[in-house]
Amino acid sequence: MSDGRLRIGFAGAGFIANVHAGLLASDARVRVAAAYDADPQAAALFALRHGAIAVPTLDDLIGVVDALYICTPNATHAAIAVRALEAGLHVFSEKPMATSLADARLVHAAAMGARARVYQAGFNRRFALVYKELHARIASGVLAPTSALLKMNRGELQRPAWTGDPAISGGFLYETPVHMLDLARHLFGEPVEVICRARATVYDQLDDFSMLFTFASGMTAVLAASAHTTWLFPFERIEVYGAHAIAATEEMERITFGRGVGDAAETIDVAQAPFERRWGYAEEDALFVTAILDGGAPAVGADEALRTTELVERCYRAAGQSADS
């Protein structure tokens, strides 16, 4: 913090790194300082775009920043996080925390051992406008869930290419459905029972999932996720049912609440809000910086990230496939 601003570094210089860096560039409290990417050209372009420097190795990056954003392929998140935490850096790790429960526990232990440093996981859906509204109405008791239906689909596991390789992505659940699994926990609490059926249909990994969760309240939720359905709108959706009541989202564009029989529904449309705010990236980035500078708790800390990883692994075990015990 030589000029009084927090120096932010990026491991990974792809699409999501540029989203975060663009937001941080407008935050007077920080400076996007440096980037490393396995592709030197990507790092150089990132540096040019954001007024940073490109460095040739991860060690070089760790040595010149105060906080690190991890925006690399999924299977690399855990090792980089542990390394950065042990070097004394604050860490923002894009989802998932890790691609195995064993590695997630290593990250959790490193974060607990570096309590003066902030570890935050990038579960942006928690801060997306429609899901914040849904969470607020559930938390206030305006909508008391009795059951729910969730879906999240991908059009393909081809872009970026590594998403189709489970050794790099961790498997389909770790790539995109992890967001819905985290939201289920965030909205409804910890599942007490998980039933999962899955098949490998198009790709050489489990790519079609049907899951049933039961929560302590007695409510149930069904999550369907497919890796190859097309990107037909809405590719993600949550419907929450209550007593003569419903809330239904359409991606992160709008949410509709209905109550009573025949009463007018209420729709909140945020489609015109900036993408970064609509999808929750702006708020999660601001909260990360605030937690560092004010010494507060991270918005989604290591405990939460570990529990979501545990839920992913429970689903894989229930489907008959898991690398962890």
Side-chain angles (χ1 to χ4, degrees):
M1 298 179 64
S2 57
D3 63 355
R5 292 184 293 170
L6 194 70
R7 298 171 300 171
I8 304 287
F10 279 81
F15 169 75
I16 197 61
N18 280 281
V19 170
H20 289 300
L23 288 164
L24 293 166
S26 65
D27 190 330
R29 302 172 296 173
V30 307
R31 175 166 60 90
V32 178
Y36 161 75
D37 194 283
D39 178 356
Q41 183 177 8
L45 289 172
F46 179 97
L48 183 64
R49 182 177 293 120
H50 301 291
I53 62 169
V55 296
T57 71
L58 184 61
D59 284 337
D60 291 319
L61 179 62
I62 288 174
V64 296
V65 298
D66 306 302
L68 181 66
Y69 270 68
I70 301 173
C71 302
T72 52
N74 297 352
T76 66
H77 290 182
I80 296 174
V82 169
R83 195 165 169 186
L85 288 164
E86 290 179 345
L89 300 186
H90 304 284
V91 170
F92 181 103
S93 175
E94 264 301 338
K95 62 80 191 165
M97 179 188 222
T99 54
S100 73
L101 193 50
D103 282 349
R105 286 169 177 157
L106 291 176
V107 177
H108 184 270
M112 295 300 101
R115 289 189 178 274
R117 297 291 179 262
V118 171
Y119 173 90
Q120 183 170 318
F123 286 109
N124 63 294
R125 294 321 196 265
R126 293 189 181 210
F127 310 102
L129 298 179
V130 296
Y131 295 134
K132 284 184 66 179
E133 183 66 28
L134 177 58
H135 182 268
R137 298 206 185 193
I138 292 173
S140 69
V142 171
L143 175 62
T146 56
S147 60
L149 175 65
L150 303 85
K151 81 155 189 174
M152 175 175 270
N153 297 325
R154 279 186 68 97
E156 37 68 33
L157 283 179
Q158 298 171 352
R159 292 171 293 177
W162 58 263
T163 59
D165 183 349
I168 301 175
S169 71
F172 174 50
L173 291 187
Y174 277 114
E175 180 45 28
T176 38
V178 67
H179 281 298
M180 284 290 139
L181 293 170
D182 184 70
L183 269 178
R185 291 187 53 253
H186 182 56
L187 294 171
F188 312 127
E190 300 294 343
V192 296
E193 182 183 26
V194 175
I195 298 172
C196 181
R197 299 291 181 266
R199 293 193 303 152
T201 59
V202 174
Y203 295 98
D204 293 329
Q205 60 174 290
L206 297 181
D207 57 11
D208 263 306
F209 286 82
S210 297
M211 294 162 268
L212 173 63
F213 306 104
T214 304
F215 299 87
S217 66
M219 76 159 287
T220 56
V222 172
L223 169 60
S226 175
H228 51 77
T229 57
T230 81
W231 291 106
L232 183 70
F233 180 89
F235 72 83
E236 67 180 74
R237 181 179 179 91
I238 296 180
E239 295 184 7
V240 180
Y241 311 127
H244 301 110
I246 183 174
T249 67
E250 296 176 80
E251 291 186 16
M252 283 159 282
E253 306 292 298
R254 62 189 65 90
I255 184 168
T256 299
F257 296 95
R259 180 172 292 279
V261 179
D263 292 349
E266 172 194 3
T267 296
I268 300 172
D269 191 318
V270 298
Q272 299 307 311
F275 156 75
E276 297 87 350
R277 181 167 173 262
R278 192 170 73 245
W279 281 50
Y281 294 117
E283 184 172 354
E284 71 174 357
D285 284 346
L287 289 171
F288 178 58
V289 175
T290 297
I292 293 171
L293 297 179
D294 293 352
V300 185
D303 288 341
E304 283 291 291
L306 176 61
R307 291 191 186 105
T308 293
T309 307
E310 289 172 342
L311 182 54
V312 173
E313 285 301 320
R314 286 177 70 185
C315 292
Y316 273 123
R317 286 198 300 273
Q321 177 177 305
S322 176
D324 287 305
S325 58

